[in-house]
Amino acid sequence: MLEEYDEDLEILGYPRELIQIFMNIFVNAIDEFERKAEKQEFKILKTKILKDGNSGVIVIQDNAGGIPENIIDKIFDSKFTTKSDTNGTGIGLYMSKEMIEKYMDCTISVENKEMEYSEQKYLGAQFTIKIPLKIKE
Ligand SMILES: Nc1ncnc2c1ncn2[C@@H]1O[C@H](COP(=O)(O)OP(=O)(O)O)[C@@H](O)[C@H]1O
Ligand SMILES: [Mg+2]
């Protein structure tokens, strides 16, 4: 069960790499906002920290329109990009997933999710990262 958590969570992982991973996700959301033909008034990037048993769960959600269903299974692939016109490398999410799953015993997943803000409904991408908690002795 996912629960909201008020206290600090101590997680097991590499802080530098985690910052890099969060930056990748944030920059991708910003890219999506920038690429939209129609600029929207409210650009939202929400982060939440939850607890699920012995894991910390970090949820990052944007309202930039979501990921087309025909590519959502490919976004973690090496060199997959929809930004070939703007020097996209398709490496960011691939490296993030490698780092998270091979070196940190964590998981990353994505889904499209609706968000409501100021009486408007938006679609966006939601990334979920699960990281083991440091068990306190
Ligand atoms: N928040 C997002 N909303 C919509 N599409 C996204 C989002 N984040 C990633 N993507 C898709 O995933 C692809 C791969 O992302 P990434 O590995 O960071 O490579 P790059 O940013 O160089 O294209 C992007 O090209 C884009 O199509
Ligand atoms: Mg990127």
Side-chain angles (χ1 to χ4, degrees), residues 2 11 17-18 21-23 25 48-50 55-60 76 93 96 100-101 104 106-110 126-132:
L2 278 178
I11 54 175
E17 282 73 12
L18 279 169
I21 290 161
F22 298 143
M23 287 305 294
I25 294 173
K48 258 190 302 192
I49 298 177
L50 306 155
S55 296
V57 181
I58 297 162
V59 181
I60 304 171
F76 295 106
L93 288 179
S96 301
I100 285 178
E101 294 189 346
M104 284 193 271
C106 306
T107 60
I108 181 167
S109 59
V110 69
Q126 175 171 290
F127 289 85
T128 303
I129 300 170
K130 259 189 168 186
I131 309 178

Side-chain angles (χ1 to χ4, degrees), residues 11-49:
I11 54 175
L12 287 171
Y14 302 109
R16 251 179 234 267
E17 282 73 12
L18 279 169
I19 289 169
Q20 196 68 52
I21 290 161
F22 298 143
M23 287 305 294
N24 280 331
I25 294 173
F26 295 154
V27 170
N28 280 340
I30 294 166
D31 285 347
E32 264 348 277
F33 287 126
E34 291 296 313
R35 291 170 69 79
K36 291 184 98 167
E38 228 168 276
K39 301 288 179 224
Q40 65 195 56
E41 189 179 357
F42 298 114
K43 303 183 180 77
I44 302 165
L45 196 46
K46 262 199 222 174
T47 61
K48 258 190 302 192
I49 298 177

Side-chain angles (χ1 to χ4, degrees), residues 24-33 35 45 60-68 71-72 74-84 86-96 110 112 124-127:
N24 280 331
I25 294 173
F26 295 154
V27 170
N28 280 340
I30 294 166
D31 285 347
E32 264 348 277
F33 287 126
R35 291 170 69 79
L45 196 46
I60 304 171
Q61 183 183 16
D62 66 56
N63 69 337
I67 305 169
I71 66 160
I72 198 163
K74 303 191 185 107
I75 64 165
F76 295 106
D77 292 356
S78 175
K79 301 195 185 140
F80 179 83
T81 182
T82 51
K83 305 169 198 165
S84 45
T86 54
N87 300 320
T89 59
I91 290 299
L93 288 179
Y94 170 71
M95 290 286 289
S96 301
V110 69
N112 287 318
Q126 175 171 290
F127 289 85

